[in-house]
């Protein structure tokens, strides 16, 4: 087991950032930690990487307790924090040698730095100051520093945030490549990113895990949820829609347009139609929708369905 988190709670004063969170990540998995801003993703990552102590509960990396064996944990973990803090006045090669020095790489330092620059595609930039690099290349420097001591586990906090679409693809590919050899936990609020890279997704909302599934299971879960998009010609109350047989939830998309979640394996359209006729409402359009992972994420983090 690469990462094990048992009943972790973290309070910042009166604010509960994590509330009894438990999870397990096996060696070799690439896991997406997804959640809206303020969900507790960074806090969880800071606890796993020994940057912040939890209020209660236990966390382990490669079976080392993050509090009791924090030095061992730090050897096992590479961490790219959110906003990737770097020394902008340092040259790329100088910075990586500096970080390698902290990890006491000794005679392996030069070769390891060269290897990191090759893996992350930084060779041509090595004599540039970090401040002169594009955001995508700065992320590569961040990844190189996180990998330099050859950790088994890589923790990446929003590694693609703020990048342009090309840079996002490059960094995603890099993470996929690195993930062939390491356990990777990375946070994002983009569900497609999880689909593109991960074999597992953990959804967190308001400090609680609301889903923990393989991406394949998430798809099955998605397939089990049926959504119907209906547009009426007038205002309808949500409570009225919830009374229609087979309707589980109704989300107002705009004015008279609703996204209605219904029981799986049952076509609720005839019931919705009967409801409209009974109340003398016209149905302007009605379509069965396939729910995307993005919508599943939205639902999970709005209503806490599991
Ligand atoms: P995420 O990474 O999912 O955006 P965070 O872990 O950064 O979420 O934050 C979780 C909650 O804890 C938020 O409500 C945030 O405002 C709060 N929080 C984070 N860091 C601190 C801190 N140092 N002091 C007080 N509250 C904090």
């Amino acid at each position: 087991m690469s990462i094990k988190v048992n009943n972790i709670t973290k309070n910042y004063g009166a604010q509960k950032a994590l509330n009894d969170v438990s999870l397990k990540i096996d060696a070799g998995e690439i896991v997406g930690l997804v959640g809206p801003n303020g969900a507790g993703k960074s806090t969880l990552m800071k606890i796993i990487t020994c940057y912040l102590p939890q209020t209660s509960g236990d966390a382990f990396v490669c079976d080392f307790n993050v509090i009791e064996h924090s030095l061992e944990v730090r050897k096992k973990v590479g961490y790219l924090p959110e906003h990737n803090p770097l020394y902008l006045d340092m040259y790329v090669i100088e910075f990586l040698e500096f970080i390698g020095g902290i990890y006491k790489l000794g005679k392996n330092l030069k070769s390891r730095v060269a290897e990191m620059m090759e893996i992350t595609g930084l060779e041509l930039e090595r004599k540039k100051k970090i401040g002169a690099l594009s955001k995508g290349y700065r992320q590569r420097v961040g990844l190189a520093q996180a990998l330099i001591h050859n950790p088994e586990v890589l923790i990446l906090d929003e590694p693609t945030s703020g990048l342009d679409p090309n840079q996002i693809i490059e960094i995603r590919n890099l993470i996929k490549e690195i993930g062939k050899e390491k356990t990777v936990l990375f946070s994002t609020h983009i569900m497609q990113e999880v689909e593109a890279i991960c074999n597992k997704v953990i959804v967190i909302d308001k400090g609680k895990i609301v889903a923990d599934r393989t991406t394949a299971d998430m798809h099955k879960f998605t397939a089990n949820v049926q959504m119907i998009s209906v547009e009426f010609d007038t205002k309808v109350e949500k409570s009225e829609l919830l009374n229609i047989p087979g309707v589980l939830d109704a989300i107002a998309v705009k004015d008279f347009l609703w996204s209605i979640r219904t029981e799986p394996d049952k076509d609720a359209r005839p019931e919705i139609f009967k409801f409209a006729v009974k109340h003398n409402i016209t149905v302007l359009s009605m379509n069965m929708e396939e729910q995307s992972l993005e919508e599943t994420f939205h639902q999970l983090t709005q209503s806490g369905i599991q």
Side-chain angles (χ1 to χ4, degrees):
M1 194 68 60
S2 281
I3 300 175
K4 196 161 68 178
V5 169
N6 293 340
N7 310 101
I8 288 273
T9 291
K10 173 69 189 176
N11 299 329
Y12 294 109
Q15 161 109 46
K16 201 177 269 301
L18 293 174
N19 185 0
D20 198 25
V21 165
S22 298
L23 57 90
K24 284 180 184 163
I25 298 175
D26 283 328
E29 284 189 312
I30 305 188
V31 178
L33 181 63
V34 200
N37 285 333
K41 304 182 292 297
S42 297
T43 301
L44 183 58
M45 291 183 148
K46 284 177 191 163
I47 290 170
I48 294 169
T49 52
C50 310
Y51 273 74
L52 207 64
Q54 64 270 31
T55 307
S56 61
D58 293 304
F60 303 85
V61 175
C62 302
D63 296 328
F64 290 109
N65 185 305
V66 295
I67 301 283
E68 286 158 21
H69 300 109
S70 103
L71 266 183
E72 290 305 322
V73 170
R74 284 162 211 248
K75 284 182 201 162
K76 300 281 182 194
V77 162
Y79 177 39
L80 174 61
E82 199 182 4
H83 309 308
N84 188 11
L86 296 167
Y87 294 112
L88 301 183
D89 280 334
M90 279 180 127
Y91 295 95
V92 171
I93 189 163
E94 182 190 15
F95 174 71
L96 293 178
E97 287 181 358
F98 168 68
I99 298 290
I102 293 174
Y103 283 107
K104 298 193 170 40
L105 296 186
K107 61 179 177 17
N108 296 326
L109 179 65
K110 298 247 180 237
S111 63
R112 189 69 195 152
V113 167
E115 204 183 325
M116 283 310 96
M117 287 192 300
E118 192 195 332
I119 290 173
T120 54
L122 278 167
E123 284 150 316
L124 291 175
E125 317 292 320
R126 67 190 208 280
K127 289 191 175 159
K128 280 193 189 160
K129 278 196 174 176
I130 294 172
L133 299 179
S134 68
K135 181 113 204 293
Y137 274 86
R138 285 187 200 181
Q139 286 303 78
R140 288 169 191 247
V141 176
L143 280 172
Q145 67 80 25
L147 285 166
I148 199 144
H149 55 300
N150 200 16
E152 286 175 39
V153 176
L154 204 53
I155 310 278
L156 311 172
D157 198 350
E158 306 230 2
T160 59
S161 130
L163 301 183
D164 73 32
N166 289 335
Q167 293 168 336
I168 287 179
I169 290 170
E170 285 166 19
I171 295 294
R172 279 182 193 169
N173 287 341
L174 202 50
I175 295 172
K176 250 200 241 175
E177 208 45 48
I178 293 165
K180 286 182 184 161
E181 307 206 331
K182 310 210 175 283
T183 307
V184 181
L185 174 67
F186 80 94
S187 66
T188 176
H189 50 264
I190 308 166
M191 204 65 176
Q192 291 95 322
E193 192 137 286
V194 173
E195 278 186 288
I197 317 181
C198 303
N199 46 16
K200 191 170 162 187
V201 52
I202 295 175
V203 184
I204 184 167
D205 187 34
K206 300 183 195 85
K208 274 196 156 303
I209 306 270
V210 292
D212 182 345
R213 297 162 204 264
T214 62
T215 352
D217 271 355
M218 199 74 175
H219 271 293
K220 268 192 241 152
F221 172 75
T222 301
N224 269 334
V225 178
Q226 218 161 61
M227 299 297 289
I228 296 175
S229 164
V230 194
E231 188 169 12
F232 300 109
D233 69 338
T234 184
K235 187 170 173 358
V236 174
E237 292 301 325
K238 178 170 174 161
S239 54
E240 294 179 289
L241 295 173
L242 294 180
N243 278 334
I244 300 173
V247 169
L248 299 175
D249 195 11
I251 301 157
V253 181
K254 63 177 187 191
D255 298 345
F256 308 146
L257 180 64
W258 289 86
S259 192
I260 295 179
R261 186 164 65 90
T262 64
E263 280 169 12
D265 312 323
K266 188 172 170 210
D267 189 351
R269 285 177 298 181
E271 293 293 345
I272 295 172
F273 198 72
K274 272 192 230 162
F275 157 83
V277 172
K278 189 171 156 201
H279 293 84
N280 205 17
I281 297 168
T282 306
V283 175
L284 298 177
S285 69
M286 178 147 66
N287 300 303
M288 200 89 109
E289 288 177 346
E290 216 172 85
Q291 177 160 298
S292 66
L293 275 189
E294 197 67 43
E295 283 158 338
T296 308
F297 166 64
H298 182 69
Q299 271 190 11
L300 285 166
T301 54
Q302 294 292 311
S303 51
I305 307 150
Q306 194 159 11

